Amino acid sequence: MMHRVGTLALLAAGICAAAASGPASAQKPAAQQRPAAQQRSANYDVYEPGRRQRLRRETCLRDEEPAGAYCVKQCDKGYRPVPASEPPRCRSVKPLPPGERPGPVRRQTGEQPRLPAPPKKVPAPPGGAP
């Protein structure tokens, strides 16, 4: 019986200590208390930059960065690389507005080189070929 009384006394002391520290923690500055929406991680727009396999004697271009056996395009303005991501990805610097969900991860599409214009046909001389 004596053991139970000691345990109850310790339990009561613990409850009193928790009640005493409760109001002190409730008086935290407003800057430390965040709403539940801000505590969640922010959503960012993400895309995969273009990459190509580098040849043995070839180096990466000015707008590319070496990544192992590949040359990866640098991120566009307003985006930064995601560290240690495989495949490499770029995410927006600013998070998306609250409540907006990010779309699927898209691939970067570059400008395709223009094909040369077809040669102009020279009209055949009148009267047939000699």
Side-chain angles (χ1 to χ4, degrees):
M1 187 71 173
M2 192 65 155
H3 181 62
R4 284 189 179 179
V5 173
T7 305
L8 289 175
L10 286 175
L11 182 62
I15 292 173
C16 290
S21 67
S25 65
Q27 297 175 357
K28 289 182 182 178
Q32 289 182 355
Q33 294 177 348
R34 294 183 179 168
Q38 288 182 354
Q39 288 180 349
R40 291 185 222 134
S41 63
N43 293 324
Y44 294 92
D45 184 33
V46 179
Y47 76 92
E48 277 185 33
R51 69 178 183 169
R52 64 181 177 87
Q53 192 163 12
R54 186 175 48 180
L55 300 176
R56 187 178 310 177
R57 293 186 182 184
E58 188 179 37
T59 59
C60 295
L61 301 174
R62 280 185 261 155
D63 64 340
E64 295 176 331
E65 297 175 3
Y70 294 93
C71 290
V72 179
K73 289 277 190 183
Q74 292 177 351
C75 295
D76 294 335
K77 288 184 180 179
Y79 289 83
R80 66 180 199 190
V82 176
S85 63
E86 185 55 41
R89 295 189 176 185
C90 297
R91 76 167 176 90
S92 59
V93 175
K94 295 181 180 178
L96 295 172
E100 187 174 334
R101 302 208 37 124
V105 177
R106 63 186 192 284
R107 288 192 172 183
Q108 182 182 27
T109 56
E111 287 186 24
Q112 296 294 324
R114 292 188 176 201
L115 297 174
K120 294 183 179 180
K121 292 185 179 181
V122 179

